[in-house]
Amino acid sequence: SQTIHQWPATLVQPVGSPLSLECTVEGTSNPNLYWYRQAAGRGLQLLFYSVGIGQISSEVPQNLSASRPQDRQFILSSKKLLLSDSGFYLCAWSVSGYQETQYFGPGTRLLVL
Amino acid sequence: SQELEQSPQSLIVQEGKNLTINCTSSKTLYGLYWYKQKYGEGLIFLMMLQKGGEEKSHEKITAKLDEKKQQSSLHITASQPSHAGIYLCGADMSNAGKSTFGDGTTLTVKP
């Protein structure tokens, strides 16, 4: 069966510090991978999605970047965190293709102080 | 403007009561997904609807997509405290494999 992992679970970082959040998927090959941010009381905002290694699409211009160095690894990064980067970050995967169900990881709660 | 509107924003019901949550779009939905989320946790997939008029059930939860494929309703029968959480609808609005999500409905079930 497929599983998706995210770490860390929680993170408190000072403004201006770098960020690296990691997401890995097990039990599947060539998945589509997604990064979302969820603000308190709001739905999910798609940040990045990837259909293959090295293929990243950005949905919202911002202070963050994503990379996919391996087939089942998706990394969310920032060189300098802003206060507005605080939130709940969720990684998801789906079978490659359209209209495929997305399955979510447990999330990382980021607090930038 | 929000592409997917969920209503109500929050809901408090007595245990045993039925309830309905709605998800509405002005555009055709190519795939409609319902998820449940406990606060601070990931989303749990409930069900997916693709065809106009389609209806699916998962335990005591039933979801339906209207014929025009622009609105979905999630109905819970005889609610229990275990049903409490945030319900989110997501949809593929462009048939491009990317989903848009509603803001969620927070459900509280009072014992």
Side-chain angles (χ1 to χ4, degrees):
Chain A
S1 63
Q2 301 85 8
T3 55
I4 179 169
H5 305 279
Q6 283 187 248
W7 62 88
T10 59
L11 191 59
V12 180
Q13 291 284 95
V15 169
S17 64
L19 173 74
S20 181
L21 302 182
E22 189 164 344
C23 172
T24 58
V25 181
E26 296 177 358
T28 186
S29 296
N30 194 33
N32 286 351
L33 296 172
Y34 308 83
W35 276 112
Y36 290 90
R37 177 168 56 204
Q38 185 179 33
R42 300 286 295 177
L44 278 64
Q45 178 187 36
L46 180 63
L47 302 176
F48 301 95
Y49 74 98
S50 170
V51 298
I53 295 174
Q55 300 178 61
I56 310 293
S57 295
S58 175
E59 290 298 297
V60 182
Q62 58 207 310
N63 186 42
L64 302 169
S65 62
S67 62
R68 184 170 177 174
Q70 299 179 41
D71 181 44
R72 290 169 290 176
Q73 184 184 31
F74 206 20
I75 298 173
L76 184 69
S77 304
S78 174
K79 291 182 179 179
K80 288 186 178 181
L81 283 168
L82 305 172
L83 287 174
S84 57
D85 291 324
S86 294
F88 191 50
Y89 289 84
L90 287 155
C91 179
W93 75 273
S94 72
V95 173
S96 62
Y98 297 149
Q99 299 177 35
E100 296 291 344
T101 302
Q102 293 180 29
Y103 299 95
F104 287 79
T108 294
R109 186 160 300 282
L110 172 65
L111 179 60
V112 183
L113 300 175
Chain B
S1 65
Q2 189 73 18
E3 289 189 294
L4 277 180
E5 294 280 349
Q6 273 190 248
S7 63
Q9 187 175 24
S10 63
L11 193 55
I12 302 174
V13 300
Q14 200 70 36
E15 182 177 359
K17 296 294 185 183
N18 302 336
L19 63 105
T20 299
I21 298 169
N22 293 302
C23 178
T24 303
S25 171
S26 58
K27 301 178 181 179
T28 298
L29 304 172
Y30 291 97
L32 190 289
Y33 310 85
W34 282 102
Y35 292 87
K36 179 185 175 184
Q37 182 183 30
K38 293 285 190 182
Y39 178 77
E41 299 180 9
L43 278 66
I44 300 169
F45 171 72
L46 295 176
M47 57 195 87
M48 174 189 175
L49 304 166
Q50 286 184 291
K51 300 175 183 177
E54 185 175 10
E55 183 174 312
K56 288 186 178 178
S57 293
H58 172 74
E59 298 177 345
K60 291 187 177 180
I61 302 174
T62 300
K64 185 174 181 179
L65 183 62
D66 75 343
E67 290 291 342
K68 290 185 177 180
K69 294 173 62 175
Q70 288 184 312
Q71 182 173 357
S72 178
S73 58
L74 183 86
H75 184 77
I76 299 178
T77 304
S79 59
Q80 300 170 3
S82 60
H83 287 127
I86 303 168
Y87 288 82
L88 292 111
C89 65
D92 185 345
M93 311 280 293
S94 61
N95 200 24
K98 298 179 292 180
S99 290
T100 299
F101 286 83
D103 283 349
T105 295
T106 300
L107 172 64
T108 303
V109 180
K110 300 174 79 172

